[in-house]
Amino acid sequence: PCHLAGWWENDLGSKMQVFKVDNDGTFSGEYYTAVSSAKKPIQPSPLIGFQHLDEDGNCTFGFTVNWKKFSDSTAVFVGQCFNGDDGKEVLHTSWLLREKVDSEPDDWKATR
């Protein structure tokens, strides 16, 4: 089975640490992004999520990152864990980022 607890790194150099996955699949951790358009310096950001605990090990999961320390945005990630041909676990994810805008007419440009 896939074990999300531990350190993960993506192709852009961002890192995530999942502290522990509870028996119900709940987990928390910190996200260390390497990419930001914020004007403030990047800082580690808290994350919280859920892992669907499957018997076959190819689990799905989702988590939210609150960039509150340096940005007015929130991101959500969904993905699945796979056991690669080399035996290493690999995460494939998709994400949405919501930035704060000043007015409802600007809503169209708030989500990437």
Side-chain angles (χ1 to χ4, degrees):
C2 180
H3 301 283
L4 286 180
W7 283 95
W8 298 91
E9 184 172 355
N10 71 13
D11 297 338
L12 298 175
S14 295
K15 296 177 183 175
M16 169 177 77
Q17 182 181 19
V18 175
F19 300 136
K20 175 186 168 191
V21 179
D22 293 338
N23 290 336
D24 66 353
T26 304
F27 63 90
S28 64
E30 286 190 315
Y31 200 95
Y32 301 77
T33 187
V35 183
S36 173
S37 62
K39 292 178 174 55
K40 295 180 182 176
I42 295 173
Q43 295 189 35
S45 299
L47 68 83
I48 189 161
F50 297 94
Q51 176 181 359
H52 185 81
L53 303 171
D54 288 340
E55 296 295 324
D56 67 3
N58 292 329
C59 68
T60 58
F61 59 89
F63 60 92
T64 300
V65 179
N66 184 347
W67 309 111
K68 67 181 180 179
K69 294 181 179 180
F70 66 94
S71 175
D72 290 331
S73 62
T74 303
V76 293
F77 294 76
V78 293
Q80 184 171 346
C81 182
F82 296 95
N83 290 308
D85 294 336
D86 59 1
K88 291 184 179 180
E89 295 171 335
V90 178
L91 305 182
H92 286 265
T93 61
S94 296
W95 57 270
L96 289 171
L97 175 78
R98 176 64 188 218
E99 295 177 305
K100 184 176 82 171
V101 292
D102 294 327
S103 65
E104 186 178 358
D106 289 331
D107 183 63
W108 67 271
K109 65 179 180 180
T111 303
R112 293 192 259 165

